[in-house]
Amino acid sequence: MKGGRLLSRRALGFFLFLLTMPCWGKILFSGLDLAEDDRLLFQARSSGGGAETQNALFCVQLPNRSVSLLSTFPEKMELVEGGKTLLVYNAFGSQRIPVSGGLPQGFPGFSAFAGISGGRVENTAASPDGRWLLYVEPTSHAKGNLILLDGLSGRKITVSAGVERPARYFPALWGDDSRGILYAKKGQLYFFTVGTQTTPPDERFRIIGEGAVNSVYWGSGGSFYYLRGSTVYRIRSGELFARTLYTGFLSVGETAGSIPFDFDPNFDRFWIAPDGQSMLLCKGGRNLFYYPLGIKEDTPTDFASLPYIIAPRSGAQLGVLWSDDGIATVLIGIPTGGNPENEVLAYRLNTAGIAGGIDRTFETLESPPSFRVMLSPDGRKAIFWGKSGLHLYDYRSWKLLTRIVSEPVYSCLWTKNDELIVGGEERIESVRLSGNTPSERKLLCLASVSRYGFEDNPSAAGPSGGEGSAAPFRRILAYSGDTWYITNGETPWTEYRLPSVRESSIVSSRYRVYLENSGGTFENIPMVRNITSVGTFFLFEPGRPPGRTIPAAANPSRISPLEEDYAFTYGSRGGREIALCFDLYDDASGLSTVLDTLNRYGIRATFFINGEFIRRHPQSARDLAGSGQETASMFFAPLDLSDSRYRIDKDFVTRGLARNEDEYFKATGRELSLLWHPPFYALSKEITAAAATAGYRTIGRDVDSRDWIRTSDAKRLGIDQLTAADMIDYIVNAAEGGSIIPIRLGILEGSRADYLFNSLEVLLDALLREGYEPVPVSTMLGRNR
């Protein structure tokens, strides 16, 4: 870089905060346009990292580095403040927009956007009244402090330290009255009351019990449900704090019901009916059951006769709609290769009267156009949105009423029974319905622009020029869809029929701007030259999030490389490629969600599969074969080849590999790649030599994920059983260029509080932030020949 790196203290603190956020992808800046009053317009494009490709238009006041976001992509949306304010989440962070329309604004003390960094949206959680924002402030690759931010004053309260960073679910839930928070940490659930205190009471006096965020469900009237073991508890939040003083010897809450098996929050979920009289429970992500609540323990119950669904193994998404009149609809999203939308299965159950003994079963419905759906406030209509547009359904009859929008829609909300907020590629707009037909559309904010610039003729209206500047003020013009819009940088965008755009410029009386190529997260960086003084600075500086660095010698996840060159244990140390290897031994749990996550991130990995798994789960093998991921061998059965009970010779190894090839072809019609590793990585020179005669290259590892350690293993071997967050920290600090990182899928026979593969998004974010590029093992191997 040229000259000094000059940033004001205000801007430095602001951008350091941005750089602690986890959303990292590829960022490309373009379209620099500098006005006479030193306002700089530019666009940032974010792609990859698990998020939709999206653009954002920015305006920066160069003298004081104040940043304004002029467009916001509606990847996720939420209504707060009784429907008065719209929260928008995207690769550039969290922004607020009045539902009457306006430019994006941030919370006081929180950035209007979470960093010029792109990538997956790491969730925040706004209180229903819109005043408070919960987020996780990183302290390591996988953990952080749970922060409560007051949207009125900007005051921050640290609710808890060492909370796991969000993966698919945010680790905390708000109550409907915005007075209470439930949050999870290290396999325990806690409660926090939102008040005026600056220091929360000791967590020992706020504990609810064992579980994760999936163990609780907020109901109506300030109560929530807590499922531990096989018991469902109903807890009044107003009484909770006093009761937690006695959690050690007194169960929290009253018993609301029971289920015939133990609940595992790693893989199970539940939903409570609006009337609180029954529940739907999904066991293992596949088996979904209906259960009435209020049954006493000594009351005989024929659970087997109650309604249930067995979902396909390949289902990666599961959602439930439950209207106030008792109509429950279960949606199951199934990945379909390269299609932008998953196939969706739908099942219907009318729960009214079931508790009274009426025999009912789930009815199979016609597949809806998308998995993303929302019921109207009165429960009579449903909207489905996705790449194919926005569809309006009659919820009770399950009939399509109309297709409101034919272009892609990324998020949608009901504000009233006849009014929607629609987030499309180009605009966020309010749509009013007359019957089933759109009757009025109103622009709330631009989602993206294709052209922009300052107006050619200076305007007398609007804010004054820059600091100490007598330069004329020019309003900002932007073209989105087929319409021009205008703003002075503070007022909402409005249509403009006769635009006259000034020719873009990169020079003012004080500054010159240009783009300089960069590496890593930023493909290029806007540079600013102060031509009235000395110094050139970059507008945004890539940074690294704070984290605990573990020296190589002290990190037990780093494995010393084999002295003999008989296995490929790592690739080139000079590059930034790494390989993620997923091992499938005897259980398919986690496979569908892992494939879905890799597909969203656009990442190819290597899966090692054995014949016993293929025979038990042929459909899962077919799902894997059609996923586009690399599939390699792990022998014909999960045998420990270092076990002295087996006589391991060349014939045993080659026949075992050939048998696995045949099993895979029989199930999928495809061939395995000629890569393998012995089960449990039991490497030896003799085994590797035998495999080589069959044309196989043996793959090792140089990082131990430590996700194979069960509770019994930890006690027997005298080693720690790490949480998923601890494993991620160890893995990222142990990784180097060329590292091979194994991740085991499936439920272990011994107990574990959590599983690494359920936090895959957090691991991918951490590796991408460190500048690593995940590739299949074969790619890494080919570049080392």
Side-chain angles (χ1 to χ4, degrees):
M1 297 296 175
K2 302 177 182 179
R5 298 182 176 181
L6 306 177
L7 279 176
S8 68
R9 178 173 297 180
R10 172 184 175 186
L12 179 60
F14 178 70
F15 288 114
L16 283 178
F17 176 80
L18 302 188
L19 295 170
T20 66
M21 302 306 288
C23 312
W24 290 69
K26 286 292 184 182
I27 298 295
L28 179 68
F29 296 102
S30 64
L32 302 183
D33 190 1
L34 185 60
E36 299 95 326
D37 59 2
D38 300 324
R39 284 178 299 151
L40 174 64
L41 290 177
F42 63 89
Q43 214 170 31
R45 177 183 176 87
S46 170
S47 60
E52 297 281 353
T53 297
Q54 52 198 261
N55 296 322
L57 179 61
F58 292 90
C59 181
V60 179
Q61 290 275 5
L62 289 184
N64 61 15
R65 317 292 189 268
S66 63
V67 183
S68 300
L69 188 60
L70 301 180
S71 69
T72 181
F73 185 81
E75 187 164 349
K76 297 180 183 179
M77 298 192 303
E78 181 181 1
L79 279 174
V80 296
E81 294 185 282
K84 297 178 182 178
T85 301
L86 179 68
L87 290 184
V88 181
Y89 305 96
N90 53 41
F92 300 101
S94 309
Q95 303 95 41
R96 298 194 293 187
I97 301 173
V99 294
S100 57
L103 298 181
Q105 301 293 327
F107 280 81
F110 192 76
S111 64
F113 42 94
I116 306 295
S117 52
R120 178 180 73 98
V121 179
E122 183 166 291
N123 292 332
T124 59
S127 61
D129 64 8
R131 174 176 175 178
W132 303 92
L133 184 72
L134 269 177
Y135 64 95
V136 178
E137 188 174 71
T139 56
S140 76
H141 300 294
K143 289 179 285 188
N145 297 327
L146 184 63
I147 302 295
L148 181 65
L149 175 67
D150 187 341
L152 296 179
S153 66
R155 179 171 57 99
K156 298 178 183 179
I157 299 171
T158 301
V159 176
S160 182
V163 173
E164 292 86 351
R165 291 171 71 171
R168 290 208 163 199
Y169 306 106
F170 191 76
L173 297 172
W174 281 97
D176 288 342
D177 59 4
S178 300
R179 295 177 57 192
I181 302 165
L182 305 175
Y183 68 93
K185 182 175 77 171
K186 296 182 179 179
Q188 297 287 335
L189 282 165
Y190 299 87
F191 182 82
F192 177 72
T193 302
V194 177
T196 59
Q197 69 270 24
T198 57
T199 303
D202 193 303
E203 276 188 326
R204 292 176 298 173
F205 306 122
R206 294 189 281 120
I207 191 169
I208 298 171
E210 295 180 354
V213 71
N214 282 344
S215 301
V216 291
Y217 189 96
W218 277 103
S220 58
S223 295
F224 67 91
Y225 296 81
Y226 168 40
L227 217 172
R228 182 174 67 183
S230 61
T231 304
V232 184
Y233 298 94
R234 182 185 292 110
I235 303 172
R236 294 181 178 89
S237 58
E239 303 175 2
L240 183 63
F241 182 71
R243 280 177 172 259
T244 54
L245 294 172
Y246 312 103
T247 300
F249 55 91
L250 180 67
S251 294
V252 177
E254 60 181 355
T255 301
S258 62
I259 58 176
F261 43 72
D262 284 343
F263 180 80
D264 183 350
N266 287 296
F267 306 101
D268 305 340
R269 294 182 64 189
F270 72 100
W271 298 261
I272 301 294
D275 61 6
Q277 299 301 307
S278 58
M279 66 184 293
L280 290 173
L281 186 141
C282 183
K283 183 65 179 173
R286 188 182 183 196
N287 301 292
L288 191 137
F289 305 89
Y290 168 87
Y291 293 118
L293 297 176
I295 299 176
K296 297 181 179 179
E297 292 184 5
D298 57 354
T299 302
T301 304
D302 183 10
F303 287 108
S305 66
L306 294 171
Y308 68 94
I309 300 170
I310 300 179
R313 276 283 185 191
S314 53
Q317 298 171 305
L318 182 67
V320 170
L321 300 173
W322 211 329
S323 60
D324 289 340
D325 58 358
I327 299 177
T329 303
V330 178
L331 301 176
I332 302 170
I334 301 175
T336 53
N339 289 343
E341 300 283 1
N342 290 347
E343 178 187 353
V344 183
L345 305 180
Y347 303 90
R348 167 70 56 84
L349 181 69
N350 189 342
T351 62
I354 288 184
I358 299 175
D359 183 24
R360 297 187 185 276
T361 59
F362 280 95
E363 171 193 2
T364 302
L365 300 177
E366 181 181 347
S367 293
S370 172
F371 181 80
R372 288 176 282 186
V373 60
M374 189 177 185
L375 278 179
S376 61
D378 62 8
R380 294 178 177 273
K381 296 177 182 178
I383 45 172
F384 291 89
W385 66 89
K387 298 291 186 182
S388 60
L390 177 63
H391 301 77
L392 179 66
Y393 269 62
D394 182 287
Y395 180 62
R396 292 177 177 176
S397 67
W398 203 249
K399 298 296 184 183
L400 175 65
L401 298 175
T402 187
R403 189 180 185 184
I404 298 175
V405 176
S406 57
E407 297 79 21
V409 174
Y410 296 92
S411 53
C412 197
L413 296 167
W414 288 98
T415 54
K416 300 176 183 177
N417 290 321
D418 61 350
E419 193 169 289
L420 306 165
I421 293 178
V422 181
E425 279 189 308
E426 297 165 346
R427 291 177 290 273
I428 301 173
E429 57 185 359
S430 173
V431 178
R432 184 179 294 275
L433 301 176
S434 177
N436 300 325
T437 305
S439 61
E440 181 184 345
R441 295 178 184 268
K442 178 184 176 182
L443 175 71
L444 302 186
C445 189
L446 296 182
S448 65
V449 303
S450 56
R451 296 166 59 190
Y452 57 89
F454 293 101
E455 66 176 332
D456 194 24
N457 299 316
S459 172
S464 61
E467 294 180 2
S469 172
F473 181 82
R474 298 178 186 272
R475 292 179 295 179
I476 301 168
L477 292 162
Y479 188 70
S480 181
D482 56 1
T483 305
W484 279 98
Y485 299 90
I486 194 166
T487 179
N488 64 10
E490 294 181 357
T491 57
W493 290 104
T494 57
E495 287 192 27
Y496 201 61
R497 296 188 178 278
L498 299 173
S500 179
V501 183
R502 187 202 67 160
E503 185 176 348
S504 64
S505 174
I506 58 171
V507 180
S508 71
S509 61
R510 299 174 63 181
Y511 299 102
R512 184 172 70 249
V513 295
Y514 61 96
L515 292 170
E516 184 170 288
N517 291 334
S518 176
T521 302
F522 293 179
E523 295 188 25
N524 57 9
I525 298 179
M527 302 295 297
V528 181
R529 169 79 171 105
N530 190 331
I531 59 179
T532 64
S533 180
V534 177
T536 301
F537 57 89
F538 41 91
L539 200 56
F540 303 107
E541 180 178 1
R544 298 168 72 87
R548 174 169 56 99
T549 300
I550 303 172
N555 191 335
S557 290
R558 180 170 292 152
I559 300 173
S560 299
L562 299 171
E563 294 182 3
E564 299 88 349
D565 186 23
Y566 55 77
F568 183 71
T569 57
Y570 61 87
S572 171
R573 295 301 194 197
R576 300 300 288 173
E577 291 183 342
I578 58 168
L580 297 177
C581 297
F582 295 91
D583 293 334
L584 290 158
Y585 281 86
D586 52 15
D587 183 72
S589 297
L591 176 60
S592 59
T593 53
V594 164
L595 291 176
D596 181 59
T597 299
L598 293 175
N599 181 58
R600 285 188 289 108
Y601 274 78
I603 289 173
R604 291 190 69 225
T606 303
F607 287 75
F608 290 91
I609 188 170
N610 68 72
E612 183 64 23
F613 178 91
I614 297 168
R615 291 187 290 275
R616 289 187 183 185
H617 309 289
Q619 183 56 53
S620 294
R622 287 189 284 271
D623 293 338
L624 182 59
S627 68
Q629 302 293 329
E630 180 172 67
T631 310
S633 180
M634 196 169 49
F635 213 50
F636 81 96
L639 305 174
D640 183 356
L641 301 186
S642 65
D643 194 319
S644 59
R645 293 175 298 173
Y646 301 116
R647 180 185 174 187
I648 308 300
D649 56 18
K650 174 182 174 182
D651 186 58
F652 183 83
V653 172
T654 55
R655 289 178 63 185
L657 289 169
R659 181 176 173 184
N660 199 33
E661 290 178 32
D662 295 340
E663 294 283 0
Y664 186 72
F665 182 81
K666 180 180 177 181
T668 69
R670 303 193 183 188
E671 300 288 353
L672 290 168
S673 70
L674 293 179
L675 304 174
W676 88 301
H677 75 71
F680 314 108
Y681 290 89
L683 297 172
S684 73
K685 189 173 183 178
E686 292 73 23
I687 291 174
T688 304
T693 64
Y696 277 84
R697 183 65 187 270
T698 302
I699 305 302
R701 55 181 178 165
D702 67 330
V703 173
D704 182 0
S705 301
R706 304 181 73 186
D707 60 349
W708 52 270
I709 300 175
R710 303 166 294 183
T711 302
S712 56
D713 296 325
K715 294 178 179 178
R716 176 172 54 87
L717 300 174
I719 55 180
D720 293 333
Q721 188 184 49
L722 303 179
T723 65
D726 287 330
M727 283 188 272
I728 291 170
D729 281 341
Y730 272 98
I731 290 169
V732 178
N733 285 312
E736 299 179 69
S739 282
I740 296 176
I741 303 169
I743 300 173
R744 178 165 176 165
L745 299 183
I747 300 175
L748 297 177
E749 291 182 1
S751 61
R752 273 206 63 87
D754 57 10
Y755 287 81
L756 176 60
F757 58 79
N758 277 338
S759 297
L760 178 59
E761 289 167 310
V762 181
L763 175 61
L764 290 176
D765 286 340
L767 292 170
L768 293 172
R769 282 198 308 273
E770 295 297 305
Y772 292 114
E773 179 187 358
V775 298
V777 172
S778 60
T779 300
M780 186 182 294
L781 185 62
R783 293 174 183 169
N784 281 268
R785 288 174 178 169

